[in-house]
C-alpha cells in the first residue's frame, strides 16, 4: 500500500493467481533494475515489491490492458514486463506496450516446449497418468511428500 517511487527502470512481473471460486487476481510485482543484486546472486522475494492486486471475475486482454494502465500511476511506465503467454495477459501486454519490453518467463517457456515435444509420447502419457493416480492414493498419507505434483489443467468458464 505504501507509495512507490516513479522511475523508468521498473520491471513488472505479472501473473494471475490460481482461480478460487469465481474470482482470480492479477498480481503485479515490481523490482527496480537499479536495485537488482549483482549478477552472481539470485533475486530473492525481499527485493520484489507488490505493486498491484486486481481481483476479477472475468479477465481478457482489454481488462488486463486497463489494469496495466491503472498501474502506471503507481510506478510510471515499466521498462520491462515479465509474464506468461496466457491469452489475456499476452494481448493486454501487447496493447499496452508503449516503450516496454515484454519477456516470456522461462518457467512457462520451458513447460510449453516440453509439453509440445512430449504431447504425443505414449510413455510420457502413461507416466503422467500413473503419477496422478499415485498422488490421489497417497495425498492424505505419511507418504504424500513422495508424490509428484498434479499437472495443472486449465478450466474454461463459459
Amino acid at each position: 500500500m505504501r507509495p512507490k517511487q516513479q522511475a523508468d527502470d521498473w520491471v513488472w512481473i505479472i501473473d494471475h493467481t490460481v482461480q478460487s471460486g469465481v474470482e482470480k487476481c492479477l498480481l503485479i510485482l515490481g523490482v527496480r533494475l537499479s536495485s537488482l543484486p549483482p549478477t552472481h546472486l539470485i533475486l530473492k522475494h525481499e527485493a520484489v515489491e507488490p505493486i498491484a492486486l486486481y481481483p476479477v471475475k472475468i479477465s481478457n486482454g482489454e481488462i488486463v490492458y486497463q489494469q496495466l494502465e491503472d498501474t502506471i500511476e503507481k510506478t510510471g511506465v515499466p521498462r520491462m514486463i515479465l509474464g506468461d503467454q496466457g491469452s489475456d495477459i499476452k494481448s493486454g501486454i501487447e496493447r499496452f506496450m508503449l516503450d516496454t519490453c515484454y519477456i516470456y518467463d522461462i518457467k512457462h517457456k520451458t513447460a510449453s516446449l516440453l509439453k509440445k515435444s512430449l504431447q504425443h509420447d505414449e510413455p510420457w502419457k502413461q507416466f503422467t497418468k500413473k503419477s496422478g493416480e499415485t498422488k490421489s492414493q497417497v495425498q492424505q498419507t505419511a507418504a504424500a511428500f513422495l508424490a509428484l505434483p498434479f499437472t495443472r489443467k486449465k478450466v474454461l468458464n463459459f
Side-chain angles (χ1 to χ4, degrees):
M1 297 294 291
R2 75 173 173 258
K4 309 298 180 220
Q5 185 175 9
Q6 292 280 320
D8 64 357
D9 69 337
W10 280 101
V11 176
W12 291 349
I13 304 167
I14 74 170
D15 202 357
H16 280 112
T17 61
V18 175
Q19 190 163 343
S20 177
V22 297
E23 290 189 335
K24 61 183 173 180
C25 295
L26 179 72
L27 174 62
I28 301 177
L29 300 175
V31 63
R32 301 270 312 274
L33 290 173
S34 59
S35 301
L36 287 176
T39 55
H40 66 283
L41 297 177
I42 297 170
L43 180 66
K44 295 183 179 182
H45 75 275
E46 295 90 3
V48 179
E49 292 188 56
I51 304 293
L53 185 66
Y54 297 105
V56 293
K57 292 184 181 175
I58 297 170
S59 183
N60 57 40
E62 178 60 32
I63 291 170
V64 170
Y65 166 75
Q66 192 56 57
Q67 293 166 329
L68 296 173
E69 282 289 316
D70 293 345
T71 306
I72 289 176
E73 294 176 23
K74 297 179 182 187
T75 66
V77 176
R79 174 93 49 90
M80 291 180 237
I81 299 177
L82 176 68
D84 64 17
Q85 292 281 306
S87 60
D88 50 354
I89 288 179
K90 183 179 177 183
S91 63
I93 292 173
E94 287 173 346
R95 181 164 177 220
F96 175 78
M97 288 306 280
L98 303 171
D99 294 323
T100 301
C101 176
Y102 175 27
I103 302 170
Y104 187 17
D105 73 273
I106 191 68
K107 181 186 101 173
H108 285 96
K109 179 69 173 177
T110 305
S112 177
L113 291 172
L114 185 60
K115 180 179 177 183
K116 186 175 183 178
S117 69
L118 293 174
Q119 67 185 348
H120 301 296
D121 185 77
E122 207 50 48
W124 178 253
K125 289 180 186 177
Q126 290 300 316
F127 171 74
T128 56
K129 180 180 177 190
K130 289 288 186 192
S131 65
E133 291 169 0
T134 302
K135 174 89 174 177
S136 295
Q137 292 169 354
V138 300
Q139 68 184 1
Q140 297 295 321
T141 71
F145 71 96
L146 295 172
L148 294 171
F150 279 117
T151 54
R152 215 168 94 184
K153 295 187 190 250
K154 296 275 184 172
V155 176
L156 300 176
N157 295 322
F158 295 99

